[in-house]
């Protein structure tokens, strides 16, 4: 078994490419598990600035076939060719795959280093895989470890605790052209987890006049639960935003919900400035609104250009991640290689117990049997320890030698021994 990650992110690709790769992402996982014989499980992590597949492959020799199957599945939905998809995905296995996911979960690979939203997105990716029944025990273990490492990085370095996020950086940029936050009139587009984070960030800055809009019809319940107002799904969104100072859009709807022509018509004759923050990968707002007089657009591209630089804590965090990934991979090898060790120990100890139980009662002596068990366990102990140490280190040759030592230990002959 091998764990494999296929990753595309803002580091290497334009956000428009990531958007296309992320088309119908969760169907990709289901398709791979259902149709690719070599793929035992799949978890998809898709955010505003990354698209990643984590696969469990049944054998290392089948890794190329699994990668090819993944590329075909993504190509079928994105409109890219298989070769194009393959060129966009960075492949990692083993410790490298763990390092990557742990770095992602800790916010070290984000557009805004140390962002806090990503840890929740990693947890939700695993929850979705559970719901779709595409996860496995190995992928469960990997993603749960990633969440633990994220918390460890935050506790040791403070990254994440500072509240840095894509939303936070976007609002920092936006506020340069806004009135005092207490006077800001805002429309929030969306009701998902990102909208919840955006509303919390707006409130933290002092914004009180926030109205929520969603084409899904969930705006009323979302707004009521958070103490703000909502707009009906039937509202003329362009007319509503023409009278506000700020729009924060993060619904992830299929296609823009605020078009440039509609907004231009609604703002005819209005001198009031409008700042639009569009944090949706698929553009909730037509990017053309930036050409309208008085309208300023802050997009994910803008955030990428203004994201804070790394600081001293990041190097410490990277060390924590690397050590955690190495420990995780060592533990995984011990689990994967241990069954052969257990089988040899069971052969000897189980054989001993079977032989003892077969003795006539008059030939059995508790003290003698206890001593025989102790000697047998002592003989097994050293090669068992050497095998597990070799597994932890990934030393196949040393492991094979230790396993051969265990295999050479015979089941004790107990009749003569029991008689003394």
């Amino acid at each position: 078994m091998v764990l494999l990650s296929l990753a595309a992110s803002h580091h290497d690709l334009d956000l428009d490419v990531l958007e296309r790769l992320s088309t119908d992402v969760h169907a990709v996982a289901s398709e791979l598990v259902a149709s690719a014989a070599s793929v035992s499980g799949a978890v998809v992590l898709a955010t505003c600035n990354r698209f990643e597949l984590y696969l469990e492959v049944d054998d290392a020799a089948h890794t190329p076939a699994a990668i090819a199957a993944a590329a075909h599945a993504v190509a079928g939905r994105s409109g890219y060719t298989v070769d194009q998809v393959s060129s966009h995905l960075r492949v990692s296995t083993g410790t490298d795959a763990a390092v990557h996911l742990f770095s992602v979960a800790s916010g070290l690979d984000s557009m805004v280093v140390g962002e806090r939203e990503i840890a929740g997105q990693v947890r939700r990716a695993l929850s979705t895989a559970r719901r779709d029944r595409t996860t496995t025990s190995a992928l469960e273990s990997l993603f749960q470890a990633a969440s633990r490492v994220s918390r460890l990085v935050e506790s040791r370095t403070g990254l994440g605790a500072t509240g840095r996020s894509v939303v936070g950086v976007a609002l920092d940029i936006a506020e340069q052209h806004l009135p005092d936050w207490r006077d800001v009139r805002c429309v929030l587009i969306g009701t998902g987890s990102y909208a919840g984070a955006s509303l919390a960030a707006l409130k933290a800055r002092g914004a009180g006049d926030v109205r929520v809009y969603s084409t899904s019809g969930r705006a009323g319940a979302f707004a009521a639960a958070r103490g703000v107002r909502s707009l009906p799904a039937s509202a003329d969104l362009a007319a509503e935003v023409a009278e506000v100072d700020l729009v924060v859009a993060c619904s992830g709807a299929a296609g823009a919900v605020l078009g440039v022509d509609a907004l231009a018509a609604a703002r005819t004759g209005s001198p009031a400035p409008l700042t639009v923050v569009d944090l949706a990968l698929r553009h909730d707002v037509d990017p053309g609104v930036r050409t309208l007089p008085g309208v300023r657009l802050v997009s994910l591209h803008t955030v990428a250009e203004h994201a804070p630089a790394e600081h001293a804590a990041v190097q410490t965090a990277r060390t924590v991640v690397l050590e955690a990934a190495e420990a995780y991979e060592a533990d995984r090898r011990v689990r994967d290689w241990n069954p052969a060790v257990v089988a040899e120990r069971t052969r000897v100890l189980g054989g001993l117990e079977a032989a003892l139980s077969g003795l006539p009662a008059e030939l059995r002596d508790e003290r003698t049997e206890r001593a025989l068990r102790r000697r047998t366990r002592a003989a097994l102990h050293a090669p068992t320890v050497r095998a597990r140490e070799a597994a932890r280190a990934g030393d196949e040759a040393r492991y094979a030698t230790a396993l051969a030592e265990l295999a050479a230990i015979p089941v004790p002959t107990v009749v003569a021994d029991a008689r003394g």
Side-chain angles (χ1 to χ4, degrees), residues 306-319:
H306 292 81
E310 297 185 9
H311 53 76
V314 172
Q315 188 55 50
T316 300
R318 294 194 186 283
T319 300

Side-chain angles (χ1 to χ4, degrees), residues 263 345 402:
L263 183 60
R345 290 178 61 86

Side-chain angles (χ1 to χ4, degrees), residues 210-230:
V210 179
R211 284 167 287 168
V212 180
Y213 174 83
S214 174
T215 57
S216 68
R218 293 190 290 266
F222 177 92
R226 293 162 178 81
V228 294
R229 293 178 293 163
S230 64

Side-chain angles (χ1 to χ4, degrees), residues 9-314:
S9 78
H10 65 98
H11 290 299
D12 307 311
L13 301 173
D14 185 84
L15 294 175
D16 292 335
V17 176
L18 292 176
E19 177 184 346
R20 287 181 62 181
L21 290 175
S22 299
T23 303
D24 201 15
V25 287
H26 299 299
V28 169
S30 297
E31 176 184 328
L32 285 172
V33 173
S35 62
S38 58
V39 178
S40 307
V43 179
V44 179
L45 176 61
T47 74
C48 65
N49 52 44
R50 70 181 61 257
F51 166 72
E52 302 188 352
L53 282 169
Y54 291 84
L55 309 179
E56 179 182 328
V57 181
D58 60 358
D59 189 280
H62 297 155
T63 298
I67 295 172
H72 274 87
V74 175
R77 290 165 172 78
S78 66
Y80 286 124
T81 66
V82 172
D83 287 343
Q84 286 174 321
V85 172
S86 297
S87 70
H88 291 327
L89 299 175
R90 287 182 292 144
V91 180
S92 302
T93 59
T95 303
D96 290 339
V99 167
H100 179 71
L101 180 58
F102 294 177
S103 296
V104 168
S106 301
L108 300 180
D109 199 57
S110 296
M111 188 179 290
V112 177
V113 175
E115 68 154 319
R116 60 186 175 185
E117 285 101 340
I118 187 62
Q121 291 165 333
V122 168
R123 291 193 298 273
R124 288 191 290 276
L126 180 58
S127 296
T128 299
R130 288 174 183 156
R131 181 199 68 198
D132 295 342
R133 299 184 178 181
T134 63
T135 188
T136 63
S137 59
L139 288 168
E140 287 270 352
S141 174
L142 178 67
F143 271 72
Q144 289 171 7
S147 293
R148 290 194 298 272
V149 172
S150 173
R151 294 191 294 270
L152 182 62
V153 165
E154 181 174 326
S155 67
R156 290 194 184 178
T157 68
L159 284 173
T162 58
R164 296 198 304 172
S165 65
V166 171
V167 174
V169 173
L171 294 182
D172 287 345
I173 298 168
E175 72 180 358
Q176 301 168 25
H177 298 269
L178 293 173
D180 186 278
W181 280 107
R182 291 170 295 182
D183 300 322
V184 168
R185 297 163 300 167
C186 176
V187 169
L188 173 65
I189 301 173
T191 56
S193 59
Y194 222 52
S198 298
L199 180 56
L202 287 165
K203 286 186 170 183
R205 283 165 166 75
D209 185 356
V210 179
R211 284 167 287 168
V212 180
Y213 174 83
S214 174
T215 57
S216 68
R218 293 190 290 266
F222 177 92
R226 293 162 178 81
V228 294
R229 293 178 293 163
S230 64
L231 296 171
S234 59
D236 183 345
L237 181 60
E240 294 287 347
V241 304
E243 302 299 325
V244 302
D245 307 293
L246 174 66
V247 173
V248 178
C250 48
S251 77
V257 296
L258 182 59
V260 60
D261 292 338
L263 183 60
R267 283 180 53 82
T268 299
S270 173
L274 172 65
T275 298
V276 178
V277 174
D278 188 356
L279 301 178
L281 181 58
R282 299 181 183 178
H283 302 304
D284 279 342
V285 179
D286 187 326
V289 301
R290 62 163 47 93
T291 65
L292 300 179
V295 177
R296 182 166 186 255
L297 177 65
V298 177
S299 67
L300 288 171
H301 290 282
T302 317
V303 172
E305 293 169 358
H306 292 81
E310 297 185 9
H311 53 76
V314 172

